Amino acid sequence: MTDFAVWAPLPKLVRLDVDGTVHDMTADDDGWWRASVDCAADARYGFLLDDDPAVLPDPRSPRQPDGVHERSQLWDPTAAHWTDQQWNGRSIEGAVIYELHTGTFTAAGTFDAAIDKLDYLVDLGVDFVELMPVNAFNGAHGWGYDGVLWYAVHEPYGGPDGLVRLIDACHARGLGVLIDAVFNHLGPSGNYLPQFGPYLSAVSNPWGEGVNLAGPDADEVRRYIIDCALRWMREFHADGLRLDAVHALVDNTAIHILEEMAAETDALSAELGRPLSLIAESDLNDPRLITPRDHGGYGLTAQWDDDIHHAIHTAVSGERQGYYADFGSMSALATTLRNGYFHAGTYSSFRHRRHGRPLDKSLIPATRLMAYTCTHDQVGNRAVGDRPSQNLDHGQLAIKAALALGSPYTAMLFMGEEWASSRPFQFFSSHPEPELARATADGRKAEFADHGWDAAEIPDPQDPQTFLRSKLDWAEVSDSEHARMLGFYRDLIALRHSEPAMANPWLTHLAVEYDEEQRWIVMRRGPIAIACNLGTEDVDVPAAGEPVLGWGGIAAETDTTRLAGHSVAVLRTT
């Protein structure tokens, strides 16, 4: 017998359909409906609510083989084939993480195809793979942030069995796996949750209706979210989650859902005997997210730090539009590198108010903040999805890499940046509903038209070519200039792993010097000095020593190092 259960406090009647046969369900006082049925291990099933003849998928569906509008399918995680019994895991703190989108990482766009590239990632030196959302969403391809059945794995990628094979293969090679989880909203197509219960709130966010975290019946909604988070780590052996846009989780209860999730993740970690990490994406600059719970914080492992990205990108590129307005100076870059946040209770011209809070550098190590020069957001949310490699020379790209990977922060790469991929990463979708498809395309064009772009230049997210253009071109890796950049990244990561001074996680041990006019900056980590010339003219930088690694014109002097324009030198000082 197989036990079926669904939380559905709204309908007066819930029945179970298993392979076309309808069965009665029994209601509990807490809104749960239950039934036990003798059926096949891979049976298709769904629920009938009241007198509606439509069979709806399970809100906790383990598998959606025919898409998010169709019946669910049973899938037994205990029957999955694992060989990672020797994997002891590791924390993400201080690691190098590699963010990738399964559908565009390879030509085939599947978990199995990604396995073929894992040896490349091992050779690159990264420690973790971070998968953009793999939950079930409508359509064949998309970014994955419009998921509607959070427990199921997107079938075109390979479904749950394919994800098991990928994570097992990663662990066999010593690579941890993080999964991007979206709990702040649901997608516009295939969201049947409101027919079952009060999953949504009256509070909206830029992507849709918010989730009910603090209203009536919120306890079951919170349980739905936390159980989903734990499922990825327990049943799929993931080593942690990246939590999308946690600033959109509106929760005014005494125990925030992030704190609750972190506590239960720590308990699961103790049960499994391996580290588990939660990484928040947040634009709040609020250190409470990563402050230990015994010091009044939520106790998350780390958070994305867009201030570091903005400070590096603007100083190198010269871009100043939108939320880049307060960045761009060498002073802003130095301040951010030293303190983790640039806006720390200071005025933000983009927000027209004070923003952020200072980080307690004596309590919170730098490894709880993440540094990066590219993410799916910082590339894909540009009007045409252009990468820095499409606008900057290789010297500038090398400077950005050295500042991010040479910093004391946990580091992250976005797929392809390590070889200066020439392919864009554009916003793409594949909504099958004509009206939704048209609204998505028109909305994207209108958004950027408001910022002065010609609507004709904005890629149509529904055009299959937009998706295909975003796939990495692996043939570039062996091209001479791309191969040289790849070698530079590989050497930077190797130095980060092997140099003891690079392992010090405390910002109090980081020294930064700069010259605003000459556009140079030196980041010192013990005997290692990372000297960068962001300008176009030769400069003499007050750092001397043995060049360990570099890009561009470098001439060592007695007390200084001469750097050509757009050059970087990693020096071992005496």
Side-chain angles (χ1 to χ4, degrees):
M1 301 291 284
T2 299
D3 295 327
F4 293 86
V6 63
W7 183 64
L10 293 185
K12 301 298 184 182
L13 175 67
V14 179
R15 291 170 296 159
L16 171 69
D17 182 307
V18 180
D19 286 334
T21 301
V22 177
H23 305 266
D24 292 333
M25 301 191 79
T26 302
D28 294 336
D29 293 338
D30 56 4
W32 281 87
W33 297 73
R34 304 179 190 278
S36 295
V37 175
D38 187 9
C39 62
D42 60 351
R44 307 286 177 97
Y45 72 99
F47 301 104
L48 293 152
L49 307 185
D50 291 326
D51 57 358
D52 190 336
V55 179
L56 301 183
D58 186 353
R60 293 178 178 236
S61 171
R63 187 172 186 187
Q64 289 296 125
D66 304 312
V68 298
H69 295 287
E70 303 302 326
R71 284 174 168 80
S72 302
Q73 183 178 43
L74 294 176
W75 181 79
D76 182 5
T78 64
H81 179 65
W82 292 98
T83 64
D84 66 348
Q85 290 79 12
Q86 301 305 310
W87 172 251
N88 296 317
R90 60 160 295 177
S91 171
I92 58 96
E93 291 191 65
V96 178
I97 299 168
Y98 192 92
E99 185 190 24
L100 66 87
H101 177 269
T102 303
T104 54
F105 183 56
T106 63
T110 64
F111 296 133
D112 287 333
I115 292 173
D116 294 337
K117 300 298 183 184
L118 295 183
D119 289 339
Y120 162 87
L121 295 180
V122 171
D123 183 61
L124 176 60
V126 301
D127 304 299
F128 284 84
V129 171
E130 181 178 307
L131 301 174
M132 287 175 62
V134 297
N135 60 186
F137 59 89
N138 197 26
H141 56 259
W143 281 18
Y145 293 92
D146 278 340
V148 289
L149 289 169
W150 292 344
Y151 284 63
V153 181
H154 192 51
E155 283 292 323
Y157 291 163
D161 292 313
L163 182 59
V164 166
R165 290 191 295 272
L166 174 58
I167 294 178
D168 195 54
C170 284
H171 288 171
R173 292 163 172 80
L175 294 170
V177 179
L178 306 168
I179 292 176
D180 197 336
V182 185
F183 297 130
N184 53 55
H185 77 287
L186 292 114
S189 179
N191 176 20
Y192 298 106
L193 295 186
Q195 297 183 45
F196 288 88
Y199 281 88
L200 303 181
S201 74
V203 179
S204 63
N205 58 52
W207 311 286
E209 292 178 278
V211 179
N212 176 20
L213 300 176
D217 292 316
D219 288 349
E220 284 291 353
V221 179
R222 296 166 72 100
R223 191 71 258 159
Y224 177 77
I225 291 172
I226 292 174
D227 284 351
C228 181
L230 299 178
R231 166 178 161 82
W232 294 118
M233 294 179 279
R234 177 187 287 115
E235 296 181 1
F236 288 98
H237 297 199
D239 299 285
L241 304 178
R242 181 259 192 191
L243 304 173
D244 181 65
V246 300
H247 46 272
L249 295 171
V250 180
D251 182 4
N252 56 14
T253 63
I255 301 176
H256 195 281
I257 190 169
L258 293 175
E259 180 181 351
E260 189 176 356
M261 185 184 297
E264 295 207 27
T265 297
D266 288 347
L268 179 61
S269 173
E271 174 190 331
L272 299 177
R274 58 185 174 89
L276 298 173
S277 301
L278 294 180
I279 304 169
E281 181 205 11
S282 171
D283 69 356
L284 299 178
N285 286 13
D286 185 352
R288 284 177 295 183
L289 293 171
I290 51 176
T291 297
R293 288 189 297 281
D294 58 4
H295 283 76
Y298 295 165
L300 300 178
T301 316
Q303 72 150 98
W304 280 26
D305 190 336
D306 278 353
D307 276 17
I308 297 175
H309 168 272
H310 299 347
I312 294 174
H313 178 71
T314 56
V316 174
S317 70
E319 292 187 1
R320 298 290 188 279
Q321 70 274 17
Y323 48 66
Y324 292 156
D326 291 336
F327 299 90
S329 68
M330 304 302 289
S331 173
L333 176 56
T335 296
T336 309
L337 290 173
R338 289 175 184 141
N339 300 304
Y341 300 138
F342 177 70
H343 288 301
T346 56
Y347 184 77
S348 163
S349 65
F350 177 71
R351 298 173 180 86
H352 301 287
R353 59 168 173 79
R354 287 179 300 165
H355 184 66
R357 183 174 184 165
L359 193 75
D360 183 348
K361 294 187 286 187
S362 67
L363 175 65
I364 300 175
T367 47
R368 292 191 184 169
L369 297 175
M370 290 176 55
Y372 37 81
T373 72
C374 292
T375 69
H376 73 272
D377 275 331
Q378 297 302 334
V379 176
N381 284 333
R382 293 169 69 90
V384 295
D386 50 319
R387 293 172 177 263
S389 54
Q390 295 173 270
N391 303 304
L392 305 177
D393 64 41
H394 282 200
Q396 292 172 301
L397 298 178
I399 290 170
K400 295 180 73 175
L403 289 172
L405 287 165
S407 77
Y409 303 100
T410 295
M412 187 177 75
L413 315 182
F414 180 58
M415 61 176 196
E417 77 162 87
E418 71 276 12
W419 77 72
S421 170
S422 66
R423 290 292 182 92
F425 185 74
Q426 298 175 333
F427 178 70
F428 48 82
S429 57
S430 57
H431 299 300
E433 303 92 341
E435 289 187 6
L436 180 56
R438 184 166 56 253
T440 300
D442 291 347
R444 181 76 174 178
K445 291 178 181 293
E447 175 187 357
F448 286 99
D450 289 343
H451 295 285
W453 285 82
D454 182 347
E457 297 180 27
I458 310 303
D460 180 353
Q462 286 288 125
D463 183 349
Q465 289 303 312
T466 304
F467 169 62
L468 294 174
R469 277 193 300 271
S470 300
K471 286 181 176 285
L472 292 178
D473 179 4
W474 285 89
E476 291 182 335
V477 174
S478 58
D479 177 77
S480 58
E481 279 303 300
H482 291 291
R484 183 185 173 205
M485 182 61 69
L486 175 60
F488 184 71
Y489 266 83
R490 187 183 294 117
D491 291 344
L492 272 174
I493 294 171
L495 181 67
R496 179 184 175 95
H497 285 328
S498 64
E499 176 58 47
M502 303 283 274
N504 191 320
W506 298 102
L507 288 173
T508 50
H509 290 269
L510 177 71
V512 181
E513 309 157 47
Y514 67 93
D515 186 292
E516 196 74 64
E517 182 177 349
Q518 293 190 329
R519 305 289 295 172
W520 59 258
I521 190 166
V522 178
M523 183 168 60
R524 298 183 185 272
R525 304 192 62 193
I528 300 297
I530 300 172
C532 306
N533 179 9
L534 280 63
T536 57
E537 303 296 325
D538 290 6
V539 294
D540 291 312
V541 177
E546 175 193 358
V548 176
L549 184 61
W551 191 286
I554 302 169
E557 307 291 345
T558 303
D559 299 315
T560 62
T561 300
R562 174 160 284 254
L563 295 178
H566 296 174
S567 293
V568 56
V570 180
L571 308 169
R572 187 178 301 280
T573 62
T574 55

